[in-house]
């Protein structure tokens, strides 16, 4: 995913967020859901949005509950994934795909990373280094 998105001109900061989101979604599917059908798999997809952001989704066979952010204790070993996604994504949600398109259905969790507004934090800073030799 990283290579494909960087190759398409997606800014690195957007790619980094999308990769982390994909990792969280795949981890959640592995930990909390069933595989899709008899193939014992999940489906991951990603792509550029028309405005230059990135959409990421993971489809699995569903689980006993629907994904929702939680408030884990400081010492908890998990439970922060959807909070991380909420902080990185412009939007995210859950879609019930049961009975759809002949793929055996399932549940899709998706997220959209907003396009980068500029070249990042460092490029927005301006320094005047012309007087720096006075400190030598």
């Amino acid at each position: 995913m990283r290579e494909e998105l960087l190759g398409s001109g997606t800014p690195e900061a957007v790619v980094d967020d999308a990769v982390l989101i994909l990792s969280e979604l795949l981890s959640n599917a592995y930990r909390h859901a069933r595989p899709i059908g008899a193939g014992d798999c999940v489906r991951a997809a990603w792509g550029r949005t028309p405005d230059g952001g990135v959409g990421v989704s993971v489809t699995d066979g569903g689980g006993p509950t629907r994904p929702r952010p939680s408030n884990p204790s400081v010492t908890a070993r998990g439970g922060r994934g959807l909070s991380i996604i909420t902080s990185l994504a412009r939007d995210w949600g859950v879609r019930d795909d049961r009975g759809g398109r002949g793929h055996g259905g399932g549940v899709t969790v998706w997220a959209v990373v907003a396009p980068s507004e500029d070249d990042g934090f460092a490029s927005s800073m301006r320094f005047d280094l012309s007087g720096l030799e006075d400190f030598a």
Side-chain angles (χ1 to χ4, degrees), residues 5 8 10-11 14-15 18 46-56 90 111-116:
L5 291 173
S8 72
T10 307
V14 174
V15 173
W46 58 85
R48 298 279 305 265
T49 61
D51 65 356
V54 173
V56 178
R90 163 173 65 198
V112 178
V113 180
S116 179

Side-chain angles (χ1 to χ4, degrees), residues 17 27 31 33 47 55 63 68 87 90 97-98 102 115-116 123 128:
D17 289 351
S27 296
R31 185 170 186 185
R68 60 182 170 79
S87 69
R90 163 173 65 198
D97 298 330
R98 295 186 196 287
S116 179
S123 69
D128 179 7

Side-chain angles (χ1 to χ4, degrees), residues 43-71:
R43 266 193 319 270
W46 58 85
R48 298 279 305 265
T49 61
D51 65 356
V54 173
V56 178
S57 67
V58 170
T59 302
D60 57 46
T65 61
R66 288 295 177 257
R68 60 182 170 79
S70 63
N71 294 312

Side-chain angles (χ1 to χ4, degrees), residues 2-111:
R2 175 179 292 283
E3 286 179 25
E4 183 179 305
L5 291 173
L6 288 173
S8 72
T10 307
E12 191 166 358
V14 174
V15 173
D16 289 343
D17 289 351
V19 167
L20 180 55
I21 287 171
L22 178 62
S23 173
E24 290 295 335
L25 293 178
L26 287 170
S27 296
N28 286 349
Y30 176 76
R31 185 170 186 185
H32 302 291
R34 296 179 301 271
I36 300 170
D40 289 336
C41 65
V42 299
R43 266 193 319 270
W46 58 85
R48 298 279 305 265
T49 61
D51 65 356
V54 173
V56 178
S57 67
V58 170
T59 302
D60 57 46
T65 61
R66 288 295 177 257
R68 60 182 170 79
S70 63
N71 294 312
S73 70
V74 174
T75 59
R77 292 182 150 203
R80 294 173 184 82
L82 288 176
S83 295
I84 292 169
I85 291 170
T86 298
S87 69
L88 295 176
R90 163 173 65 198
D91 196 12
W92 74 274
V94 181
R95 183 177 64 242
D96 190 348
D97 298 330
R98 295 186 196 287
R101 296 185 302 224
H103 293 294
V107 174
T108 298
V109 183
W110 56 269

